[in-house]
Amino acid sequence: MRPSRHPAFLAAILAACAPLPSAPPPAPAGPETLSITVHEGTTLGFDLSPDGRTIVFDLLGQLWTLPASGGEARPLTDAVRDTAEDLDPSWSPDGGAIAFRGERNGRAGLWLVDVASGTVRQATQLDDPDGLHSAVAWRPDGREVLFVRKGAHDALALLDATTLAVRALPVEGMREKDLRDPAWVPGGRIAFVTGDDEGGPVGTADAAGGPVTWLTTDSTRALAPAFAPDGRRIAFLARDPDGRLQAWVQEMPASAPGVARRLTDHADLTPTRIRWTPDGTALVYAADGGLWRVPVAGGVPARIPFTARLAITRPRRPPAPARFPAPGVPQEARGFADLELSPDASRIALLALGKLWVMPVGGAPRAVADVPLSARHLAWRPDGLELAWTAGPWDREDVFGTDVASGATRQLTSLPGREMLPAWAPDGRHLAFVYAPPSGRTQLRVAEATALPVADTGAARGLGPVPVQWTAPDAMAPQWSPASDGILTLAGGFGSPTPPAGRVLRVGAPPLRITRFPDSPIFFRWTDGGLTWVRHDRLWRAPFDSTGLLGEPVPLGESAALYASAARDGTVLFVSAAGLTLRTPDGAERQLGWPLRFTPPPPPPLLIRNLRVIAGDGSAPALRDVLVEGGRITRIGAAGSLPAGQAEVLDAAGRTAIPGLMDLHAHVYLPVLLPAYLYFGVTTLRDQGSTLASLAGWNEAIAAGPTEGPRVAYGGFQYYTDWAFDGDQERGIEPEADPGHVRRSVALAAAFGAQHVKTRTFRRWDINARIVTEAHRLGMRVTGHCAHQLPLVVAGIDAQEHAGFCNQRGGNGLYDDVVQLYRVAGIGVVPTITYGAFAARVSADSTLLDRDPGLGPFAPPREDLGWMIEMPESLRRRAEGWADVARRTTARAHRSGVTLGVGTDTWQVPTAVHYELEELVAAGLTPLEAIGAATAGSARILGAEAELGTIAAGKRADLVILDADPLADIRNTRRIWRVVKDGRVVDRAAIAAAAGSWR
């Protein structure tokens, strides 16, 4: 999930890195046609024609028409042809047109389709990327369309059906809640609901605006009101005593709210719309994946059967297999925790592979000193003799300095709380750093060089509060002016309601607010040549002083660029698609590639005897011997049949082994937890959005040996197509502003060896499809929160994150339309049931982790789970609802043959994968099937099934050996005796012993 959605995530954004690039992607194998025939739909929006003879409904982002009695559905719009998602149709009173909300070829708003010809025209255009034009209701005379403009402040508006002019409709006395579900009352008044997704009271007002009259009480919490043709009754949707949405009808006294009568009893009634038949005797609605009719007088609802046939053709491009560093095979090191050019442009410093490296430009790197896994934030002293950097537990980081010649390291700060992002003044007289005390606001502090080390809060002068949103490699680090008389900081941007804005803090003087500042810069550097920064993964520069920009920004070349640092003369070091690149002030670029190399150490041979093997492929357990050589399983034989030779022997004494577990939805905000994942049997972790360079570096440090942990598959960036700002882990794509951004950004992810990329937002399917195509071209897979949109399916999106999670569509679970589409398109699903279930459990019982067997020293501090523990009852119910939806969707997908993987999205708790296994069993999978999802199924989604996921000859030797049978009780996956990764027995005792120093 996106970190800014939760305070806990905002508190944990760290520096991160990635793997080796995949092999060249296989060439396309020609087109393929995907065909499905379905009788169910997910979150059906519909309307009944004025004559009551035809239904129009949305299915898989297309509009379809259907006889009101049921039968064959026929498509009215084409989502593939128009790169569209068409939703929530509403029929005009004359039956000739249908209004709907949709996004078509990148344009979003309300649309009108002519029923006879199928011609579509746009009626409104959103001007707010977070907004929505929705809930269309035609005026009875057909002249206007009433709708809701959702945004920062919801409002009602009227659209002229002929001229397409829009005017506001002011209503007095509205409740301070969301506005939704407008309708027309016979006689000319309007009605609407003020409430949230749970509903609210129904009010009416004059069609010209004015005061509100309430038809229902607050306790009713209605949705989708609809009035009988004679105006004497109102139908609506509302919760029953069990919390399930049902259809209700109520008489319409003119003076006071009446008493509602329930008509239905469904498990999953869709909160889109309810409609009266023209004669007023029955209601039509959507529930349980279908369309229904119920008599108003009471009786058994009847399903309106439909058959919808869909066939779409797409290019066939088999995705490239995932690749990981292999024991004994030399590798280029592409990751780092930070990268910094020296002030004189002669040397480069890197934090990578557990060491601080310094190398002459174009020369060989030299290891200067060992550094901890948490080391980051490099800063050269102006004389080039010392490098400052940050390290330590998340809330107790300090600044250190290492002598470049000798490698001797000293501690420069030791204040209570955190010190990070050091920056030396160009004259060498002061060291600035960001200070986050245990309580209070984060500040920028400045210490005199002669007063180092800083050991108390009075030893460094505070210059004022600094909003720290990015603490990864200098994305928004403070920057000294060339004259050493001020420090440039940045506030706003991603996760903030305001755009990024600059400010210069000064010692002994008021701060200067900059009025002319670049648009959303990252990695900005202030040198004699002006201000240099990265925007849309491209270098920019403009003349600059303490008042702001002194001229128009100009791009520096066409290269993709990230992780920029600069020397005094304006020379820039950055990462391009070709690796490290140096750009001199005259515009010349020099490719330095990837200077560091490493070789993962091969483990000694290992023979595991008397092992009850659950292979992960669904086969029955069997007692076996397993021989491991070079990190791979070379032979499997009957127990006692394999000779040991030179191999070390490990006698499992009949214990049960499963393949190494995988967590396909993690966020490595706290790299110190990586060893803990391995301790609990997770041998492969897929990160879904942390800092790219550091993720690569951590994966390489683990492979090279100085660090324990699972192998890390990382996803490059999270792509936002409705957000303008870039950050360490997010990319805000603005295709109109910069058409080349997708190409450059995906190329950078591939350069760092990302295995996949992730689309994170819920619109601009045209740009999402472009991201999918570009990622596949470079050999990476694509996953996202939304995968069922037909433009994305045609582009070839590979997986869905979270079961049934995509804005309002599918929020109540996926039905046969989406599930069949996923099966035929090969789209895997990572349900993450634990995300909602675990939060709800902790909210209900804050001592849950205290009773988690084995968690002990790995338990997160209570403050890390504060948003769960302090969750209000309403949010807890919502979290429980997420989990229920995910369980239902998981069961349906599993029964239909969709590939399931295991992911948790619960990054604070390294045992979360075991909670997810329990949830899969609770959803209806057998323990054997749940283990298969966490191993073989996850490997297929990852693209690593040739190397991982099962215990078989030729595969990497990843095993979790258990003291108890997980097929008897899935909770026995926690009872770990040994973990083997790449053929090496993990020293779990050493990991546990070191855990206390991580926090």
Side-chain angles (χ1 to χ4, degrees), residues 678-746:
L678 185 61
Y679 180 93
F680 289 109
V682 176
T683 55
T684 303
L685 192 75
R686 184 173 71 159
D687 184 272
Q688 289 293 8
S690 302
T691 308
L692 179 58
S694 298
L695 279 169
W698 294 330
N699 183 59
E700 291 162 352
I702 289 168
T707 301
E708 287 277 23
R711 67 183 60 83
V712 181
Y714 39 94
F717 307 111
Q718 297 190 67
Y719 285 92
Y720 288 79
T721 52
D722 56 2
W723 191 270
F725 310 131
D726 292 341
D728 295 324
Q729 55 187 279
E730 289 82 11
R731 283 298 172 270
I733 303 297
E734 296 181 282
E736 288 77 20
D738 190 337
H741 189 196
V742 169
R743 174 184 53 80
R744 290 193 299 272
S745 181
V746 175

Side-chain angles (χ1 to χ4, degrees), residues 501-543:
R503 177 179 55 169
V504 174
L505 302 179
R506 299 180 295 170
V507 178
L512 297 174
R513 182 78 176 180
I514 295 174
T515 57
R516 301 181 306 282
F517 200 67
D519 175 31
S520 307
I522 56 175
F523 301 105
F524 51 87
R525 294 293 187 269
W526 192 357
T527 68
D528 292 333
L531 194 70
T532 303
W533 67 92
V534 172
R535 176 67 170 133
H536 290 150
D537 295 317
R538 187 181 190 185
L539 283 176
W540 294 80
R541 179 175 286 161

Side-chain angles (χ1 to χ4, degrees), residues 59 62-63 744 917 931:
L59 180 81
Q62 295 186 163
L63 301 187
R744 290 193 299 272
L917 287 169
I931 292 168

Side-chain angles (χ1 to χ4, degrees), residues 50 66 112 184 208 236 277 405 476 592 677 734 741 776 905 942:
L66 172 75
L112 297 169
W184 289 89
F236 55 87
T277 57
M476 296 183 182
L592 305 178
Y677 279 102
E734 296 181 282
H741 189 196
H776 282 182
D905 203 7
L942 188 62

Side-chain angles (χ1 to χ4, degrees), residues 669-962:
Y669 301 137
L670 291 176
V672 293
L673 285 179
L674 287 171
Y677 279 102
L678 185 61
Y679 180 93
F680 289 109
V682 176
T683 55
T684 303
L685 192 75
R686 184 173 71 159
D687 184 272
Q688 289 293 8
S690 302
T691 308
L692 179 58
S694 298
L695 279 169
W698 294 330
N699 183 59
E700 291 162 352
I702 289 168
T707 301
E708 287 277 23
R711 67 183 60 83
V712 181
Y714 39 94
F717 307 111
Q718 297 190 67
Y719 285 92
Y720 288 79
T721 52
D722 56 2
W723 191 270
F725 310 131
D726 292 341
D728 295 324
Q729 55 187 279
E730 289 82 11
R731 283 298 172 270
I733 303 297
E734 296 181 282
E736 288 77 20
D738 190 337
H741 189 196
V742 169
R743 174 184 53 80
R744 290 193 299 272
S745 181
V746 175
L748 286 166
F752 277 104
Q755 306 283 10
H756 71 287
V757 298
K758 175 185 177 183
T759 64
R760 175 61 179 77
T761 41
F762 310 112
R763 57 182 59 185
R764 286 308 301 256
W765 308 122
D766 57 326
I767 307 306
N768 276 268
R770 189 188 305 176
I771 293 168
V772 174
T773 300
E774 188 66 14
H776 282 182
R777 188 181 71 82
L778 296 179
M780 294 179 290
R781 298 181 180 227
V782 182
T783 189
H785 282 185
C786 300
H788 67 265
Q789 287 74 15
L790 295 184
L792 302 188
V793 175
V794 169
I797 193 166
D798 300 288
Q800 161 83 46
E801 301 302 313
H802 313 295
F805 181 89
C806 180
N807 209 11
Q808 297 177 2
R809 311 302 291 186
N812 286 340
L814 303 181
Y815 281 89
D816 194 45
D817 56 338
V818 174
V819 169
Q820 275 204 49
L821 191 65
Y822 283 178
R823 178 177 54 79
V824 300
I827 296 172
V829 173
V830 182
T832 66
I833 307 171
T834 296
Y835 180 75
F838 181 80
R841 290 174 67 180
V842 171
S843 174
D845 179 5
S846 62
T847 67
L848 176 69
L849 293 184
D850 298 336
R851 294 178 281 102
D852 188 330
L855 190 56
F858 308 104
R862 289 178 65 88
E863 55 267 26
D864 283 5
L865 304 179
W867 73 270
M868 301 182 192
I869 295 171
E870 299 165 8
M871 188 184 297
E873 181 63 28
S874 59
L875 185 55
R876 183 196 304 177
R877 289 197 303 270
R878 184 172 297 183
E880 290 169 345
W882 293 337
D884 288 341
V885 166
R887 292 185 195 103
R888 293 198 303 271
T889 296
T890 298
R892 185 174 284 117
H894 176 66
R895 290 194 301 267
S896 299
V898 174
T899 297
L900 294 179
V902 164
T904 64
D905 203 7
T906 309
W907 55 268
Q908 307 99 319
V909 184
T911 55
V913 69
H914 299 282
Y915 284 101
E916 185 72 4
L917 287 169
E918 292 179 41
E919 291 292 350
L920 291 178
V921 172
L925 278 68
T926 68
L928 186 63
E929 290 167 339
I931 292 168
T935 56
S938 293
R940 283 195 295 274
I941 293 173
L942 188 62
E945 63 268 37
E947 289 198 289
L948 303 172
T950 59
I951 299 174
K955 298 288 186 77
R956 293 198 184 208
D958 286 5
L959 302 92
V960 182
I961 306 175
L962 307 172

Side-chain angles (χ1 to χ4, degrees), residues 577-604:
L580 304 190
T581 301
L582 198 72
R583 181 183 177 89
T584 53
D586 62 3
E589 290 189 2
R590 180 180 179 184
Q591 302 298 331
L592 305 178
W594 303 101
L596 290 179
R597 299 184 70 83
F598 70 99
T599 300

Side-chain angles (χ1 to χ4, degrees), residues 180-181 192-203 215-226 234-239 245-246 248 250 260 271:
R180 56 178 300 148
D181 300 344
F192 45 84
V193 171
T194 57
D196 52 24
D197 291 344
E198 296 295 309
V202 178
L215 298 183
T216 64
T217 63
D218 284 343
S219 60
T220 302
R221 296 185 67 79
L223 293 167
I234 179 175
F236 55 87
L237 310 177
R239 303 283 172 183
L245 206 63
Q246 305 297 346
W248 305 71
Q250 175 182 303

